[in-house]
Structure formats: structure tokens, C-alpha cells
Amino acid sequence: MPTLRLALAQVNPTVGDLSGNAGIVREWSRAAADSGAQLVAFPEMMLTGYPVEDLVFRDSFVAASVAALERLAADLAADGLGELPVVVGYLDTDGPARISAAAEPNRGPRDALALLHGGRVAARYYKHHLPNYGVFDEDRYFVPGDFLTVVRMAGVDVALTVCEDIWQAGGPFAIARDARVGLIVNINGSPYELEKDDVRLPLVARRAQEAGAAVAYVNMVGGQDELVFDGDSIVVAADGTLRARGPQFAEHLLIHDIDLPAADPDAPEGPLGEMSVRRVVLDAVPPAPATTVEGGVAERVTDEAEVWQALVLGLRDYVRKNGFRSVVLGLSGGIDSSVVAAIAVDALGPDRVVGVSMPSQHSSEHSRDDAADLAKRTGLDYRIEPIQPMVDAFLANMSLSGLAVENLQARVRGVILMALSNQEGHLVLTTGNKSELAVGYSTLYGDSVGGFNPLKDVPKTMVWTLARWRDAEAERRGTEPPIPENAISKAPSAELRPGQLDTDSLPDYSELDVILMGYIDGDKGRDDLIAEGHDPAVIDKVLRMVDISEYKRRQSAPGTKISIKAFGRDRRLPITNRWREPSDR
């Protein structure tokens, strides 16, 4: 059986940076060639970054993508890499976008893949299955492809596919079986969510068995707005057996030799079921290396480590890709701000993180001490800006009481953080968790102020879990735990009035988060939640709080998605909405 040396490049492109992304392809193609690879594959939409969203509708951007692809093919040849087949994702089009009367049936923008070889585009493929659920809107943007590209090289047949093609039964993988290919390369922009890596391997194995062919699955890595991509590239044999697997949340070139059946000279071409097969033959490709290389299987990590890495990478790339030098956050001594500070320090380093304690007359001594303790443990830039004189100045000129005074304190803190942002160029991090966002337990233009929220998709109970994991991980490594024990163990409070606790307004978080997960992530109704054993009165209270807070969430900062249904990209509800779950009251 012929042996093919694969190189899967799980790299970190940036949306819109066509020249920078092309540079990544050139750099990593050189590394692949130096490793003796005979084929290197890059992620979905590698040249443009992913997802490009409504940039699809901008003709200038589409034209730039196509031009960058042609230029990249020539540049690879000029780099001495003309013989190396390079698979790269890009944005293409064969007709106008479907936003006007000029649109044509079965023509338009394409989520495309190209195989570059010999200084030219040797083959193209258009994504067949277009996801239109969760964070994906691809039926809005693209037209599906109706052909399968099969490349004959080094004595084997390789089919080329894109992302969702592997997540759906039938389609390209079924056609690949009929086309008798030995290997299917699948390039991906597959966003992270908790436990998704547990789903990927069985999925890839099923498709390999369906196609009767080995599968090479390459995924991008890095953050893009709310999304983070975790890599986790995979190679399986035709029977679904795992052969190699890359790490999560790190750029990596996975090099692996795989034995494949020799190409069948009588394999069919042309119409084949719901698609057509287009065949391309590459003559000059790098010879098979004399030695054998195995890519190995990267060690899996715990769920807590996985989420922490996702949050760190999401914040780091949001800061880096948007040109910020540093971040600033309100450091109250509570669990949420403590965890955000620890994430920020891990992502950026302590010299690029500013933590501001903004005590009022209601701030407890232990909260001030916990904030100072965290700053000492992490080494971040720690400042103290008392807010009481500013609050008093407002109250001397306005007659406010009750909740208005509580919210005033939060808004004064927001003004201070935004002033520091304007003065010194920091990105303001807000620290509200998913549970608080769900029930509207935040002050608009106060503690909700910020340009990015690392905890936006993290329930309160998980915040505590992550804090304990991070401290335990520090102890395991022999370093100082970043989060003070008191910040983890004390009862949560906004400290906006004497003796205030979160439980004054909310159910216990252990109960609240279960209800929220059912209602938000699971789209369960009131009756479903009652059937699970929850108190109907508590359910009615929580659901009402969630429903009336949509206008707050619509104005909230973006934050890294880690769950199956994040606010914003995943869960989209109208603000003006009179539907309520039927109740007994």
C-alpha cells in the first residue's frame, strides 16, 4: 500500500487579514515541506479568516480573496514549494450574493477550498452542507456546492471536503465511498464548546467508516470575537481507528504517515448520486520519505482545564487582534472579578492588566483585603479609586433613594473604568457571569460597562469551579494560587447596600443555574422544568427575570462562547415580546 505523509496545520488566522493569513500559509507550508510532507492542509476560510459574516456581501472583499489565492499559489512556487500540494480555505464566488433580484439560482458566494500546486490553483471544491443553526448562518451567505473534488497524487485518491460536510451523514462522504477514494481531507472552522472534543472523534470515525476511507480532519485555533477555535485535529484510518491527534488551544503542525489503498484506475467520474465527481491528477509531488513518522495523540485535559484555556485564548486574541495593549477591570474582591483578573493575567501577563478597587461606604473590609491580596498574588497593576466622594456629589444635587442609589454606585464605577480606558488606552473588561446576565442582575451602564466579558457564557457555579481548579493547578505546578480562598468561599454580594447578599434577590445559584440551563440552553418550558422537580413559584420568578432582561443582554459586551447556547450569537430573541410561559398565576 502507498504511504502518504500528511501535514495538518492547525493555525490561527485573523478575519480580514488576507496578506497576514497568506504569510501563515507560506510559513507553515515551508515547515511541512521540511518535515517531508506530501500534502499540507490548512483550515476552512484560512485566507480570509472565519467567520467573515456580512463581508461576504462586499464585492471588494470577495475579489480580494480570489486575488490573494492566485497570488499565494505563485508565492508558494517562488518559495520553492511548487511541488507540495497545499489545501487552503478561502472565499470564492461564481455569481452575485442572494440579496437582490440579480441573484441567480445555484450561483453566488462559496465557502471554498483550493488545492494549490505548481504555482496555480489546481483544484477547487465548494462546501456542500451549509449549517444554519447555533452560531452558523451559512445558508444566508453561501450557495452549496454540488460536486466532489478528487485529487490523484502519489498513487492515491484524495477527496477534499469542508467542515459541515463531515457533520452530516450522506453527501460528500457517501459520494466519496462510491468514488473509491483512499483518503478524505476535511478542513474546519469548528468553534469550541464544552465537551465538543468528546463528540469529534466518534463523528470522524463514523464518517471514515461510512466512506470506507481514512479521514484527515484539520481545525483552526484561536479567538474570533465571541468564538474560540480549539484545534484538536484528527487522523483516523478507514475503520475509524484513531491514528493521530493534535493538541487543543495551541498552534500545531500534525505530521503523520498513513497507509492508503492504491488509486483505482477504473474509479468513476462525473454524476454520482446527488453530486458529481471531478477528478484532478497531480504529476509532480514530493516523493514518499524513507522513514516513518507518527503524529502521536495529544493528551486530553479535564473539562475545567479545557474551559480555562478557551477563556484565556479568547481574551488574548480579542485583545491582540483588535490592537489593544492592555486591559482594565474593577477588582472588588468578589469571585467574578477575581476569576476575570486571573484569566487576564494568564492571557496577557500581569504587566498588561490593571485592577481597580473602587470602594464605597458599603464595601466590606474583607473585600478590599481580598482585592489587594489577589493583586499581590498575580502581580497586576493595582489601584484604588474610592467612589464615595463622587457618589456624594451626585446625591448633593439629585434626590435619589433605594435602587437608584445602588445603581448610581455601579455607574460611578463604570465612569471611572471608562475614563481610565480613554486616558490610558486599556480595554475595559466587564465581569458579569452568565447567570447574572440571564436574570438581569446587573446595572446597565454600570457593572455592565466593558468592551469584552470573559465570563459572559460561564454560569456562576462554574465560576467557582474554575476558581478552585485554577488554584489547585497552581499548587500542582508549585506556584502561588492566584485567587484568595476567601474570595471563593464567602457569600456573593454586590455590596451596594448594608448587609446585601445575592440571595436577597435570587435563588441559590446551585438551583438557579439548573433552571437557567434548562430554560436557556435546553429551550425547556415551564411544565418541563416543573416535571424535573423545581418549585413552580421559583420557576415563575426566574423565567420572568430572564424574559424581561433581553434588552440588557442586547447591550452587553461580547464574550467567549463555551456552551451549546451562548447569549448573542446562539440565543436570539426579540426584545419586544409578550410571550410568557403559561403559569398558574
Side-chain angles (χ1 to χ4, degrees):
M1 298 177 71
T3 299
L4 188 69
R5 178 164 294 180
L6 296 170
L8 304 183
Q10 58 176 54
V11 293
N12 189 350
T14 299
V15 167
D17 187 7
L18 275 66
S19 60
N21 296 338
I24 294 172
V25 173
R26 294 172 68 181
E27 175 187 353
W28 287 68
S29 293
R30 168 55 63 193
D34 291 345
S35 299
Q38 296 171 280
L39 174 68
V40 59
F42 290 85
E44 179 180 16
M45 290 283 194
M46 176 67 211
L47 264 189
T48 59
Y50 180 84
V52 294
E53 301 184 82
D54 280 13
L55 286 172
V56 167
F57 301 138
R58 197 171 300 178
D59 291 343
S60 58
F61 183 72
V62 179
S65 170
V66 174
L69 182 75
E70 301 285 348
R71 188 163 54 249
L72 175 59
D75 288 342
L76 287 168
D79 292 340
L81 301 171
E83 287 191 351
L84 176 66
V86 177
V87 176
V88 60
Y90 74 107
L91 173 62
D92 202 345
T93 188
D94 57 3
R98 295 178 294 174
I99 56 175
S100 72
E104 305 173 42
N106 303 317
R107 302 177 74 85
R110 306 282 191 167
D111 185 336
L113 165 158
L115 186 141
L116 309 181
H117 185 257
R120 65 186 183 89
V121 178
R124 300 177 196 265
Y125 170 79
Y126 298 148
K127 188 175 183 177
H128 178 70
H129 290 304
L130 299 178
N132 210 49
Y133 54 85
V135 301
F136 304 107
D137 292 307
E138 297 200 0
D139 191 52
R140 166 185 170 91
Y141 296 122
F142 303 115
V143 176
D146 59 3
F147 63 87
L148 178 69
T149 298
V150 177
V151 179
R152 182 161 294 177
M153 51 169 290
V156 300
D157 279 351
V158 180
L160 305 176
T161 62
V162 179
C163 200
E164 188 73 10
D165 292 336
I166 203 171
W167 290 85
Q168 304 292 334
F173 279 75
I175 300 302
R177 170 182 283 277
D178 294 337
R180 303 172 203 164
V181 306
L183 171 69
I184 303 173
V185 172
N186 181 254
I187 67 171
N188 289 264
S190 179
Y192 168 78
E193 61 190 43
L194 181 59
E195 298 179 348
K196 194 168 188 178
D197 61 319
D198 297 332
V199 174
R200 282 198 187 106
L201 180 56
L203 168 78
V204 175
R206 284 198 305 274
R207 292 294 170 264
Q209 293 163 354
E210 177 185 355
V215 175
Y217 171 105
V218 59
N219 191 27
M220 70 173 60
V221 67
Q224 170 59 32
D225 296 344
E226 301 98 325
L227 303 181
V228 65
F229 302 90
D230 61 324
D232 193 30
S233 300
I234 296 170
V235 179
V236 301
D239 63 359
T241 304
L242 178 64
R243 296 302 189 196
R245 191 168 193 176
Q248 287 181 275
F249 306 107
E251 292 189 296
H252 182 73
L253 188 65
L254 183 64
I255 307 289
H256 185 76
D257 290 350
I258 188 164
D259 294 333
L260 300 171
D264 183 347
D266 298 320
E269 186 173 10
L272 198 63
E274 63 181 290
M275 303 177 75
S276 294
V277 174
R278 297 184 182 180
R279 293 187 175 273
V280 175
V281 177
L282 301 185
D283 295 324
V285 298
T291 57
T292 300
V293 171
E294 293 189 358
V297 176
E299 182 181 357
R300 301 293 90 191
V301 300
T302 65
D303 288 350
E304 294 84 1
E306 192 177 285
V307 170
W308 191 272
Q309 290 179 65
L311 298 175
V312 167
L313 179 56
L315 175 58
R316 179 188 297 133
D317 271 5
Y318 192 86
V319 170
R320 178 178 65 87
K321 293 181 178 181
N322 286 289
F324 290 100
R325 300 187 301 274
S326 53
V327 298
V328 62
L329 70 148
L331 198 57
S332 69
I335 185 63
D336 296 319
S337 67
S338 297
V339 169
V340 169
I343 291 169
V345 169
D346 282 0
L348 307 171
D351 56 324
R352 298 174 64 192
V353 180
V354 178
V356 186
S357 172
M358 295 172 283
S360 74
Q361 64 178 347
H362 303 306
S363 299
S364 62
E365 193 65 35
H366 64 74
S367 290
R368 302 184 197 195
D369 292 344
D370 292 341
D373 187 14
L374 182 139
K376 182 180 178 181
R377 289 164 179 260
T378 59
L380 58 73
D381 180 353
Y382 181 59
R383 307 179 191 180
I384 302 175
E385 297 286 349
I387 68 167
Q388 199 59 48
M390 304 177 208
V391 172
D392 291 342
F394 271 97
L395 295 178
N397 291 276
M398 298 181 68
S399 179
L400 301 176
S401 63
L403 182 61
V405 176
E406 294 182 29
N407 288 343
L408 173 61
Q409 296 170 67
R411 290 186 177 119
V412 167
R413 290 177 173 132
V415 168
I416 291 172
L417 293 175
M418 289 308 304
L420 289 172
S421 173
N422 294 155
Q423 184 71 23
E424 301 175 5
H426 311 297
L427 169 68
V428 178
L429 300 183
T430 185
T431 60
N433 57 71
K434 186 174 186 177
S435 307
E436 294 171 348
L437 285 169
V439 297
Y441 194 65
S442 64
T443 300
L444 207 56
Y445 322 121
D447 52 318
S448 66
V449 159
F452 193 79
N453 182 358
L455 299 184
K456 183 174 185 178
D457 199 31
V458 183
K460 184 78 168 190
T461 49
M462 185 180 287
V463 176
W464 277 306
T465 299
L466 291 174
R468 294 197 180 282
W469 173 85
R470 182 61 183 84
D471 278 2
E473 180 67 8
E475 291 177 348
R476 187 185 70 81
R477 295 180 180 179
T479 58
E480 185 172 25
I483 302 170
E485 173 58 31
N486 193 50
I488 301 173
S489 60
K490 67 186 176 187
S493 170
E495 294 193 334
L496 297 174
R497 64 174 183 267
Q500 183 181 26
L501 295 174
D502 287 8
T503 48
D504 297 341
S505 305
L506 303 174
D508 187 271
Y509 283 111
S510 60
E511 180 181 15
L512 176 64
D513 281 356
V514 175
I515 295 173
L516 293 176
M517 182 173 293
Y519 188 53
I520 294 168
D521 294 15
D523 287 315
K524 294 178 181 177
R526 179 179 185 270
D527 291 344
D528 299 318
L529 296 170
I530 290 175
E532 292 179 353
H534 300 291
D535 183 338
V538 174
I539 292 172
D540 290 340
K541 177 181 178 179
V542 171
L543 268 54
R544 181 181 183 279
M545 295 175 79
V546 173
D547 291 344
I548 67 174
S549 299
E550 188 61 35
Y551 76 102
K552 285 188 176 183
R553 289 189 291 273
R554 194 71 66 90
Q555 301 178 67
S556 64
T560 301
K561 168 185 164 66
I562 64 161
S563 75
I564 193 171
K565 185 166 287 190
F567 290 127
R569 294 190 66 97
D570 277 317
R571 188 177 189 268
R572 310 173 201 179
L573 291 175
I575 296 174
T576 305
N577 172 19
R578 290 188 178 179
W579 166 254
R580 297 292 182 264
E581 285 290 315
S583 71
D584 299 330
R585 295 190 292 174

